[in-house]
Amino acid sequence: MAKEFVCVADECWDLSPPDWFNREWLKTPRSTRLFESYLKKAPEGLIPQGTSTFQGSYCMTAEGDYLGGAFAWVDRDRTVQLLKSSLENFRKKSDGEMKPVPENELPLYVGPAPAKGGLKIQLAYRDLPRGSNRYPQTDRIERPVNLGFLDLKPEEVREFLPEGKEAKTLSQVLVKKISQDCLKDCARGQCNVDKKAFRSGEWTVKESGRKGKLRTIELRGTSSLDGGGVRFEPTIYGQLEYDEGEGKFVHFDLVAVGQRSGASEFNFRRGDEDAAPLGVAFRLFAQKK
C-alpha cells in the first residue's frame, strides 16, 4: 500500500512561526506552500483550532489537493484505512491515471552536497556515563542521541595534512569554526547557539605511521566554550588516514570528550545543570545505497 505513495517527513510547525523565529528559510519553503494549499482544501476541523503543532498523517496530490488526513498520532489500522481511502480518492480525481513513483535516491544528509576535495563529516552527540549510571538520561531527555553534520572546504581539509613528520598546529580560524559549530551541548535535537561561545582552542596533527601510500595522522587538541549559559571543556583525540594515491582522506575519526554544564533555552537542561560528561564523535559520512 505504501508503495503507491511518496512518503515524506517534514517540519510543519513553521507554518506560523513566532516573531523571534522569523528566519529567512522559514518564510516560503515549497513544503510550507504545499501544506498551506492542502489545508485550504481539507475539511474543516481536520486540525484543531489554536493548536501550535501540525503533526499527523496527511495524503495529498503533488499539487497539494486533499486526499485524506489524520491529525496527531495514528495507529496501524487507521493508517491502512487512511491510505486505502486516499488512494481511492486519488483514482477518482485522476480518472485512474497513475504516474510511477520516482525511484531516485535522496541524499541522507543535511546541508550541501560534498564538494570536490572537501569532506562531509557526520557528528554524533551523547551524554556519557556518570558514575554508576551507565545510560544517563533525565525525565525530559530520554536517550539523548543526536546527529549533525560538518562540511569542510578543500582548503580546510588540507590543513589536516602535516608536512613530513613534524607536528602541525591548525589555524585558529579552523579550530574556532569546528569548535563553535560542532562542540555543543546537543540534547534532543536542540543545541546551544551562542555565536560567541568559543574562548580558546589548540589542535595539532602529526604523522604517526605510513604504509605504502597510506598515511596515519594523529590529532590532539583542547577547546573551551562558554556562552549562552552553557559551558563545555572537551579534549579532542583523533586518528585520520590519508591515501596519497587517491588524494583523499579515507578515515576521519575524532572524539571530543569533556565536562559540560549549565542550561539554555535550547538544550533542555533545566534541572540538569551540574557538570557531567559529554561526548561528540566525528566520522566520514558515507551515503548508504
Side-chain angles (χ1 to χ4, degrees), residues 11 143 176 240 260 270:
E11 173 60 82
R143 297 185 299 278
K176 180 179 180 180
L240 322 178
R260 64 95 190 145
R270 301 299 178 191

Side-chain angles (χ1 to χ4, degrees), residues 15 17 29 53 81 105 137 168 237 284 287-288:
L15 286 176
T53 184
Q81 184 56 45
E105 292 185 0
Q137 61 185 30
K168 175 183 178 182
Y237 304 90
L284 281 180
Q287 174 79 36
K288 295 181 180 179

Side-chain angles (χ1 to χ4, degrees), residues 22-241:
N22 191 18
R23 308 281 181 83
E24 185 63 34
W25 65 272
L26 284 174
K27 292 181 180 178
T28 56
R30 292 174 62 187
S31 58
T32 296
R33 294 199 298 269
L34 183 66
F35 198 69
E36 287 175 336
S37 174
Y38 169 86
L39 289 179
K40 289 178 181 177
K41 302 170 185 177
E44 185 177 354
L46 174 64
I47 294 178
Q49 292 292 320
T51 182
S52 60
T53 184
F54 297 93
Q55 63 251 55
S57 299
Y58 306 105
C59 298
M60 66 186 77
T61 67
E63 293 76 28
D65 293 329
Y66 173 86
L67 297 175
F71 174 73
W73 181 80
V74 182
D75 63 26
R76 180 184 183 278
D77 292 339
R78 288 181 62 201
T79 299
V80 171
Q81 184 56 45
L82 171 63
L83 294 178
K84 286 182 177 180
S85 61
S86 297
L87 188 59
E88 183 62 28
N89 288 337
F90 176 77
R91 286 172 173 152
K92 291 177 181 178
K93 287 177 177 289
S94 60
D95 296 325
E97 182 182 354
M98 302 283 285
K99 296 181 180 179
V101 174
E103 297 183 358
N104 55 304
E105 292 185 0
L106 299 176
L108 301 178
Y109 53 77
V110 174
K116 184 178 181 180
L119 290 179
K120 183 173 285 288
I121 308 296
Q122 183 169 311
L123 311 173
Y125 300 79
R126 185 63 162 89
D127 285 12
L128 298 177
R130 311 175 192 178
S132 61
N133 186 356
R134 307 306 297 169
Y135 301 98
Q137 61 185 30
T138 70
D139 291 338
R140 296 196 62 188
I141 308 171
E142 296 183 359
R143 297 185 299 278
V145 178
N146 304 272
L147 294 179
F149 290 91
L150 164 67
D151 292 291
L152 294 174
K153 301 175 182 178
E155 60 270 24
E156 294 171 332
V157 173
R158 289 192 291 270
E159 281 206 42
F160 291 93
L161 287 173
E163 297 177 5
K165 295 186 177 181
E166 296 298 318
K168 175 183 178 182
T169 301
L170 302 188
S171 70
Q172 276 290 288
V173 173
L174 182 56
V175 171
K176 180 179 180 180
K177 170 187 173 177
I178 299 176
S179 298
Q180 184 71 55
D181 291 349
C182 304
L183 302 183
K184 302 175 180 180
D185 180 15
C186 201
R188 213 171 108 183
Q190 303 287 343
C191 295
N192 178 40
V193 293
D194 192 299
K195 296 300 183 182
K196 298 181 180 179
F198 179 75
R199 293 291 180 262
S200 62
E202 183 172 326
W203 296 20
T204 61
V205 288
K206 184 178 181 179
E207 182 178 303
S208 60
R210 180 186 287 264
K211 186 175 182 180
K213 295 184 179 295
L214 189 66
R215 299 178 67 187
T216 300
I217 299 165
E218 290 187 353
L219 184 149
R220 299 290 184 267
T222 59
S223 288
S224 176
L225 298 105
D226 187 347
V230 178
R231 293 166 294 285
F232 188 30
E233 301 281 341
T235 299
I236 295 86
Y237 304 90
Q239 181 167 301
L240 322 178
E241 290 185 354

